[in-house]
Amino acid sequence: MPRVGWSVEQRAAVKRYMLFATLFAVAGTVFSIFLIVVGNSGGWVVLAMIACMYLAGFLFIGNIKREQS
């Protein structure tokens, strides 16, 4: 049984959440690059965590969109 598509409000909320996630990902990336330049090896860990979380969210939303169309 196919799912019903997203409402306008749900699409707007997803766009808003992805905007916030993108802003935090950019800020975290800048911070991790700063840590790497300073010489702290934890910057690589922060960068990998940010990339994995953002990519997982992006793929999850894309998968839901594909299933509903």
Side-chain angles (χ1 to χ4, degrees), residues 7-42:
S7 68
V8 174
E9 293 85 9
Q10 288 171 325
R11 284 190 299 245
V14 168
K15 285 183 182 180
R16 186 173 51 250
Y17 293 147
M18 282 305 292
L19 175 65
F20 286 132
T22 302
L23 293 175
F24 282 117
V26 168
T29 303
V30 169
F31 179 66
S32 67
I33 290 172
F34 170 74
L35 288 176
I36 293 168
V37 169
V38 170
N40 189 340
S41 61

